[in-house]
Amino acid sequence: MTRRTEIFARTALVAVSLLAAFLVLEVACRLHDRRSHMVLHWGNLIDAAKAGDPVSHSGGRYAHDALLGWVQRPNFVSADYSVDASGHRRTGPGTATGPAILAVGDSFTDGEGVADGETWPSYLETEFGRRTINAGVAGYGFDQMLLRAEREAGTARPALVIVSFIAHDLSRLEFSRLWFREKPWFAPDGDAPALKHVPVPPNSRDGGVMPALRTLFGWSLLIETVAERLDLIDAWYGDTERVLPVGAGDAIACRLVPRLARLGPPVLVVAQYDRGAWPDGGFDAEEHRRIVEFLHCAERAGLATLDLFEPLRREIGRRGLDALYDRPHHTAEGNRFVAHEIARALAARN
C-alpha cells in the first residue's frame, strides 16, 4: 500500500466511524424523544417547522394573521394536538362553566410537547373549576401576546385574563421576523410605542443563517438538541430579522404593559421559566433579574403578578429538574404544578 493510499484508507475509516457514531446517537436521541412520530419521521425538521406541522394532514398547525403574524389554524387536528373552531387549543372535556379565564402566552401556555389535557390552562380549568380558554401561541413575543389579549378579551368577554411569559418573550420584541414568520413590532416612541409592520405581510423567503448546513442536516434531531442545549436554537432553527438593538425589548415591554390594565377584566401576569434558566442545578441570575424588573412594571401599572421562580426552585430541589421539564418546556407534571400555583394565587386574591 502506498503512503497516499494508506492516508486515504485511514481517512475513510475515520469518516465512516464518525458517521456511524453520529447515526447511533441520532437514533438514540429519537428514541428518547417524547414525540412518537420522531422515530419514523426523518424528513427535514426545519422545513417541516416552516410549513407548520410535520404530521399534519390539515394544512399545517399555523395560519397567517395580518395583525399577529401567525395563529393556530381553526379546527386543526393531529395525533396529540387539536384546535377548536375559534383557534384555541382544546383544554379537555369542557365541563367547567361560568365566566371564562383567558390564558394568553407563548409555547409554555400553548403546551408544547404535551397532549391537550396536559397543558397548564387545562389543569387550571380542572383545579379551579372555571372554563379556561387556551389562547397561547408558540413563538409569541410579549408584543404579540398583548395584541392577542386585546383581541380575545373583546370577543370572549372573560372574567379574568392570565398573561404568562418567559424572559425570552421580552427579547422577541426586537425582531420583525421569527421562526421563519413575519411578525408585528413596536418602535420606541416615548411612553406609547408605535405599532409597526402591520398589516403583517405573508412569510418571506428563508434567507436565514447557515442555509447550506440547514439543508444538509436539518433532518437531525441530534443537532437540534445540541443547538438547544447551547442556546443556539434561534440561529440553527429560525430565520430572524432584528429591527431593535439587544435589550430594547425589555424597555418597550415595560411601556406596553399598561395597555393590559385597560382590557377591562382583571389581569394576572405570570412569570415562567424554561429549562435553560436552571443551569447545573442553580439559576440564571440575569434572566431572573429581567423578569423581576418586568413584573415591577406590571405592578406599577396596577396588575397582579405571580413569579414562579421560588416555587419552581423549591420543587426542583425536591423532585429534580427532569420531573418538571422535558427539553425546554414543562412535562405534564410541570404544567400541573404551574396550574396549581396559579390556582393558589387566584384563591389567595379571592
Side-chain angles (χ1 to χ4, degrees), residues 165 167 271-273 287-295 307:
F165 75 101
Q272 292 194 246
Y273 296 82
E287 181 167 328
H288 187 217
R289 180 196 65 78
R290 293 176 63 201
I291 283 179
V292 168
E293 286 188 359
F294 179 72
L295 290 177
D307 189 354

Side-chain angles (χ1 to χ4, degrees), residues 185-268:
W185 62 283
F186 284 87
D189 189 10
D191 291 333
L195 181 61
K196 301 291 185 180
H197 209 44
V198 171
V200 178
N203 299 331
S204 64
R205 178 180 60 84
D206 176 18
V209 294
M210 301 180 287
L213 289 177
R214 293 209 311 241
T215 299
L216 288 173
F217 297 104
W219 54 270
S220 174
L221 185 62
L222 173 62
I223 292 179
E224 176 187 310
T225 303
V226 171
E228 197 170 69
R229 295 298 173 88
L230 295 177
D231 200 24
L232 297 173
I233 194 66
D234 287 348
W236 174 246
Y237 223 77
D239 177 17
T240 65
E241 182 171 328
R242 176 176 291 278
V243 289
L244 295 172
V246 175
D250 295 53
I252 292 178
C254 189
R255 294 189 182 99
L256 288 173
V257 77
R259 288 174 56 163
L260 289 175
R262 299 195 289 269
L263 288 179
V267 177
L268 174 67

